[in-house]
Amino acid sequence: MKQFDDLIIGTGQAGPFLAGRLAESGRQVAIVERKLFGGTCVNTGCTPTKAMVASAYAAHLARRGAEFGVNVGGKVSVDMPRVKARRDAIVQESRRGLQSWLEEMDNCTVFEGHARFESTHTISVGDDRLTADRIFINVGGRASMPKMPGLGQIEFFNNSSLMDIDFVPKHLIVVGGSYIGLEFGQMFRRFGSEVTIIEMGQRLVRREDPDVSAAVHEIIAREGIQIRLNAKCIGFSKRNDETFAQVDCASGDPEVSGTHVLLAVGRLPNTDDLGLEKAGLTTDKGGYITVDDQLRTNVSGIWAMGDCNGRGAFTHTAFNDAEIVAANLLDGDPRRVTDRIPAYALYIDPPLGRCGLTEAEVRQRGRPVLVGKRPMTKIKRAIEKGETEGFMKIFVDTETREILGAVILGSGGDEIIHSILDLMYAKAPATVIQRAMHIHPTVSELIPTMLGELAPL
Ligand SMILES: Cc1cc2nc3c(=O)[nH]c(=O)nc-3n(C[C@H](O)[C@H](O)[C@H](O)COP(=O)(O)OP(=O)(O)OC[C@H]3O[C@@H](n4cnc5c(N)ncnc54)[C@H](O)[C@@H]3O)c2cc1C
């Protein structure tokens, strides 16, 4: 039995930061990783996809060259082995950097293998038995495998296996019209694939407000991507070399044929093979480990951070979880999950930046609200850059002038949203940003203008 002060399972977005803080404070820490250091974000999620989105953007801009008076000379083509090599180099640098940082850390011992609880304070990793007073779970999640008829007959990809390909699929069928499906769909269209996105719901990115879904739909469709909504009965079959997806939509062909299929239909927590029952840990019905506002599980001395606790599904929420745990345990600072304001981006081009409440959530509050909205076609910087798709929108409480939420779908939206997010954290009224002098020409300079034109929702 190897004894430690603290044990961390998983090297995703929370574990390594916490390992650093705990080890620095003098605790003897063990951290366990069963596969790739850095977890989903570094290896099969954020980093590789955004590297590929950048390649896809380069191809898109090259094709649009003539619009800007730039002659590219000939048909633009994409060299997928080089796209992959560029992406892999970025990923490997990040993964290796993290692994060696952990391995060289004082007071930290790295174990490679699958960790399973043996009891409340003991886990097994291969032949090793590790024990500690405190255990922190950061096991993340994986792509879910839906039960769709015919899946056994075809080959298909998920976000991980798609990382292995070094060719441009002729016709990629993407099942799932939400964040991951849309990013991959637009990216492969720009690489040169025909793309069909099949979505079960009535609109793309259903968690967003209808006007956001409609604008995203327009952006995606304008690039020649086929979108099939209301696909109530998705199934697959293979005939000759072609893969067929049954969609059973209210209108259009009941079947779509393609060469490759990507499943992007949600994520599952990696908690089914962790021996949670041996530690007496409880989960919700989706398998997410139940935690309180400071990420303590139902068992004293065990915390759960990141995607596996169901309190967030992003790198920044996982990292913030680690900051909350470290603040509580090491800094005497009682930070909580509910201190944070929801914020995220969708990395299609142009990107969607979101923070705070949606319009649907704002309406549910039942208090008077003001709304400001401005299309990108009325923003000079967007016009100058030739990126006039999308809009920005903001909700403000009529009485307190508190900012409740915002959307920036358009050029630079993933970055610009932070000026609003930070003001929300400062709990400052919207008038602060309305009176601020912003730089010209930027998309951000129209935020004060938009706030000067608020109208009742
Ligand atoms: C295609 C895609 C794109 C994404 N893009 C973004 C984005 O742009 N921005 C964003 O914020 N989020 C993005 N995400 C989500 C983001 O990747 C996750 O929210 C984030 O990685 C969660 O971090 P985590 O620490 O909870 O878990 P993970 O990063 O999944 O790490 C968990 C780690 O635990 C290890 N592990 C699991 N079980 C065990 C075990 N029993 N023993 C030992 N080790 C174990 C795993 O191998 C893994 O390394 C994306 C996700 C996908 C799939």
Side-chain angles (χ1 to χ4, degrees):
M1 187 76 81
K2 295 179 174 150
Q3 173 86 41
F4 294 91
D5 296 326
D6 295 317
L7 236 164
I8 299 171
I9 307 174
T11 65
Q13 297 305 308
F17 170 80
L18 187 64
R21 288 292 321 269
L22 293 169
E24 194 185 45
S25 76
R27 310 241 336 152
Q28 290 303 317
V29 179
I31 188 162
V32 191
E33 175 52 55
R34 71 174 177 189
K35 206 172 172 201
L36 299 174
F37 284 75
T40 309
C41 182
V42 168
N43 297 290
T44 57
C46 337
T47 305
T49 54
K50 272 67 218 182
M52 290 167 86
V53 162
S55 292
Y57 179 70
H60 180 66
L61 209 54
R63 283 191 196 102
R64 290 185 62 197
E67 268 180 61
F68 297 86
V70 177
N71 296 322
V72 177
K75 195 166 172 273
V76 173
S77 67
V78 170
D79 181 346
M80 272 309 271
R82 284 182 67 183
V83 169
K84 185 174 181 297
R86 174 182 181 274
R87 180 203 73 199
D88 290 347
I90 295 169
V91 167
Q92 275 162 26
E93 165 102 19
S94 182
R95 179 168 67 228
R96 286 194 193 128
L98 178 72
Q99 183 167 357
S100 51
W101 178 66
L102 285 170
E103 285 169 349
E104 286 159 22
M105 190 182 284
D106 289 340
N107 300 334
C108 181
T109 310
V110 174
F111 289 86
E112 290 192 56
H114 184 103
R116 256 183 218 95
F117 279 94
E118 302 264 296
S119 68
T120 317
H121 291 292
T122 306
I123 62 164
S124 65
V125 184
D127 294 336
D128 287 317
R129 297 281 171 284
L130 316 181
T131 182
D133 294 341
R134 304 191 301 200
I135 300 182
F136 304 89
I137 307 170
N138 176 218
V139 291
R142 62 183 184 276
S144 65
M145 249 287 279
K147 287 197 181 74
M148 288 173 176
L151 264 187
Q153 292 173 37
I154 63 157
E155 279 179 54
F156 58 86
F157 296 109
N158 60 27
N159 67 288
S160 300
S161 52
L162 199 69
M163 293 298 148
D164 296 333
I165 70 168
D166 63 357
F167 59 90
V168 177
K170 189 164 179 301
H171 186 158
L172 182 66
I173 299 173
V174 180
V175 183
S178 200
Y179 308 89
I180 293 176
L182 292 178
E183 285 182 25
F184 277 115
Q186 188 188 47
M187 175 202 304
F188 274 95
R189 178 70 189 137
R190 289 178 171 194
F191 290 153
S193 299
E194 275 180 61
V195 173
T196 302
I197 295 177
I198 300 177
E199 164 57 42
M200 282 180 165
Q202 292 177 350
R203 54 190 174 89
L204 298 177
V205 279
R206 263 182 292 170
R207 277 189 219 123
E208 304 302 332
D209 289 322
D211 57 349
V212 175
S213 285
V216 167
H217 190 121
E218 217 180 298
I219 289 166
I220 294 294
R222 196 173 290 171
E223 297 199 21
I225 295 171
Q226 301 299 316
I227 301 165
R228 303 297 304 271
L229 302 173
N230 299 307
K232 295 286 178 242
C233 190
I234 301 175
F236 301 91
S237 57
K238 188 128 195 150
R239 299 202 286 277
N240 303 321
D241 273 351
E242 269 182 296
T243 298
F244 289 83
Q246 290 82 51
V247 287
D248 190 35
C249 295
S251 59
D253 286 344
E255 204 172 57
V256 173
S257 75
T259 54
H260 295 83
V261 173
L262 167 67
L263 296 181
V265 288
R267 310 268 307 158
L268 282 177
N270 289 326
T271 53
D272 48 336
D273 195 11
L274 200 51
L276 293 182
E277 62 296 339
K278 296 216 172 134
L281 287 157
T282 54
T283 61
D284 68 12
K285 59 181 187 319
Y288 293 95
I289 299 169
T290 42
V291 289
D292 67 11
D293 211 12
Q294 286 160 319
L295 303 161
R296 293 175 292 219
T297 66
N298 65 306
V299 176
S300 167
I302 306 183
W303 287 254
M305 308 176 294
D307 283 11
C308 69
N309 66 23
R311 301 293 293 267
F314 299 99
T315 284
H316 44 278
T317 49
F319 188 81
N320 187 251
D321 281 0
E323 290 183 317
I324 290 169
V325 172
N328 277 279
L329 295 181
L330 299 169
D331 306 334
D333 180 358
R335 289 175 64 175
R336 290 168 185 275
V337 176
T338 45
D339 292 339
R340 67 188 180 210
I341 298 167
Y344 52 86
L346 162 62
Y347 291 90
I348 56 167
D349 171 44
L352 165 71
R354 274 263 305 109
C355 67
L357 304 180
T358 61
E359 182 169 329
E361 289 163 343
V362 160
R363 286 185 187 279
Q364 271 169 18
R365 289 170 82 239
R367 287 166 54 97
V369 172
L370 299 169
V371 61
K373 194 168 177 181
R374 176 165 282 258
M376 290 289 156
T377 49
K378 286 195 172 169
I379 297 180
K380 287 225 176 69
R381 187 70 199 278
I383 296 166
E384 288 150 8
K385 289 172 86 177
E387 294 177 357
T388 52
E389 291 159 310
F391 60 85
M392 46 189 198
K393 186 167 76 161
I394 195 160
F395 303 108
V396 175
D397 186 288
T398 310
E399 283 155 27
T400 63
R401 297 280 149 167
E402 177 195 1
I403 298 177
L404 303 171
V407 174
I408 300 186
L409 171 61
S411 190
D414 53 331
E415 298 285 353
I416 298 161
I417 197 74
H418 289 91
S419 70
I420 297 174
L421 180 62
D422 290 342
L423 202 76
M424 291 173 75
Y425 273 110
K427 299 193 191 318
T431 40
V432 170
I433 202 165
Q434 190 183 338
R435 289 174 193 173
M437 181 187 75
H438 280 191
I439 296 165
H440 173 80
T442 58
V443 173
S444 300
E445 76 177 317
L446 272 303
I447 296 174
T449 312
M450 176 172 68
L451 285 166
E453 298 168 351
L454 294 175
L457 179 69

